[in-house]
Amino acid sequence: MIRIISALVGLGFTVVVVFAFFTGLTTVISDGELKPETAEHEFHKHPKEVSFAQDGLFGKYDRAQLQRGLQVYKEVCSACHSLKYVAFRDLSALGYTEGQVKALSAQFQVPGIDSNTGEATTRPGTPTDYFPSPYPNNVAAAAANNNAIPPDLSLMTKARHDGTAYVYSLLTGYQEPSAELVKKFPASAPGPGLHHNPYFANLNLAMAPPLTSNGQVTYAPGNPEPTIDQMAKDVSAFLAWTAEPKLEKRRQTGWAVLGFLIFATILAYLSKKQIWSAVKPRRED
């Protein structure tokens, strides 16, 4: 009786699995037949191939590039985007001295309280403060950006697939929509206040091209020429650092742990050989 019940249960389970498989297959086929191709599916592009100093298993941040990226963020991106998870004191990791960090933080106005009236006010930033938002609230942010709230950039390269390459591609990808796109999907042409960018998910975004000309940011002597491409790379590398400032230390710790595990494995194997060397295998008659 138990065997019969077990067989019936197994048969029922098999029927359910087969039914689910064919139901899913039918759904996929029907979706492919009934749903037309979308402009996003056909014209959206994957991020460009671009390399950074921190890429790879042994990669390290280029401090000079990070400083240039901070300058691009400060002079261009900070007008709309915040870095609410980055404190000014964290910039010491980029090679800045304590005095330089104090001077840089004082260039930003952060929320404060008037000690005499108790009312909200602003004050120059200090190293313990975090990068402030350029807007007092989301309503003001949306009103200034065609009803689109500029996202915080602290973790942007971790929040997007191929994050660093995505940011670089987005910054350098603004262009006019192709004639094929306009002809095939006229509704996908950018409307008022929107800008076409094939590296953005739905092809059009409210953010105007932030990098518009070579030399928009003036680098210190000895640095590469501030072309649009170079500035995009530099700020993308900087945002990779804001998202993962402990990258180098994590890799160093990982290699040390891996080396220890390899050594411990070899030691355990040799110990096993030594302990069992005097034990002869049992003979069977």
Side-chain angles (χ1 to χ4, degrees):
M1 186 65 180
I2 295 178
R3 291 182 178 181
I4 295 176
I5 295 176
S6 300
L8 292 176
V9 171
L11 180 61
F13 178 78
T14 303
V15 170
V16 171
V17 170
V18 172
F19 176 77
F21 173 78
F22 282 104
T23 300
L25 183 61
T26 302
T27 302
V28 170
I29 294 175
S30 62
D31 286 348
E33 292 177 349
L34 297 178
K35 292 184 179 180
E37 287 288 331
T38 62
E40 293 82 358
H41 180 270
E42 185 171 344
F43 290 94
H44 178 256
K45 296 181 179 180
H46 293 289
K48 302 176 182 178
E49 292 289 338
V50 59
S51 60
F52 293 89
Q54 70 270 14
D55 293 342
L57 296 177
F58 300 95
K60 294 183 177 181
Y61 288 119
D62 181 346
R63 263 43 183 191
Q65 184 177 46
L66 297 185
Q67 291 186 12
R68 295 194 302 269
L70 170 62
Q71 184 179 354
V72 175
Y73 167 78
K74 183 166 66 75
E75 297 185 21
V76 180
C77 308
S78 64
C80 298
H81 298 276
S82 60
L83 288 176
K84 64 181 180 180
Y85 296 118
V86 182
F88 292 113
R89 62 188 173 191
D90 297 333
L91 299 178
S92 60
L94 305 188
Y96 291 107
T97 64
E98 183 179 349
Q100 289 174 321
V101 171
K102 287 182 178 180
L104 194 150
S105 61
Q107 298 176 15
F108 288 81
Q109 292 293 313
V110 300
I113 299 295
D114 190 315
S115 58
N116 296 320
T117 64
E119 296 180 352
T121 183
T122 58
R123 58 173 176 79
T126 64
T128 57
D129 292 314
Y130 287 75
F131 279 84
S133 171
Y135 304 103
N137 50 60
N138 287 341
V139 176
N145 293 277
N146 196 29
N147 291 323
I149 301 174
D152 180 81
L153 298 181
S154 305
L155 304 175
M156 183 56 65
T157 60
K158 300 293 287 184
R160 298 291 185 271
H161 181 63
D162 291 332
T164 312
Y166 166 79
V167 173
Y168 166 78
S169 301
L170 191 72
L171 292 174
T172 58
Y174 286 90
Q175 57 190 260
E176 292 296 323
S178 66
E180 183 183 1
L181 170 63
V182 175
K183 180 179 179 180
K184 193 172 182 179
F185 302 99
S188 295
L194 297 179
H195 307 271
H196 182 70
N197 194 316
Y199 297 98
F200 191 64
N202 62 2
L203 305 181
N204 301 306
L205 70 166
M207 182 177 71
L211 301 175
T212 57
S213 61
N214 297 332
Q216 185 174 344
V217 174
T218 302
Y219 288 164
N223 284 291
E225 183 181 353
T227 61
I228 292 178
D229 184 79
Q230 184 64 54
M231 290 185 290
K233 286 182 179 178
D234 293 341
V235 75
S236 298
F238 172 69
L239 293 179
W241 173 80
T242 64
E244 200 168 7
K246 303 297 183 182
L247 173 68
E248 295 172 336
K249 184 173 292 186
R250 177 173 60 80
R251 284 178 176 167
Q252 291 174 357
T253 302
W255 283 116
V257 171
L258 182 61
F260 171 77
L261 291 176
I262 292 175
F263 174 76
T265 300
I266 296 174
L267 187 63
Y269 175 76
L270 295 177
S271 299
K272 177 258 183 186
K273 296 285 288 184
Q274 178 67 25
I275 293 173
W276 291 93
S277 61
V279 179
K280 296 182 179 181
R282 181 180 178 181
R283 296 180 59 186
E284 296 183 1
D285 295 335

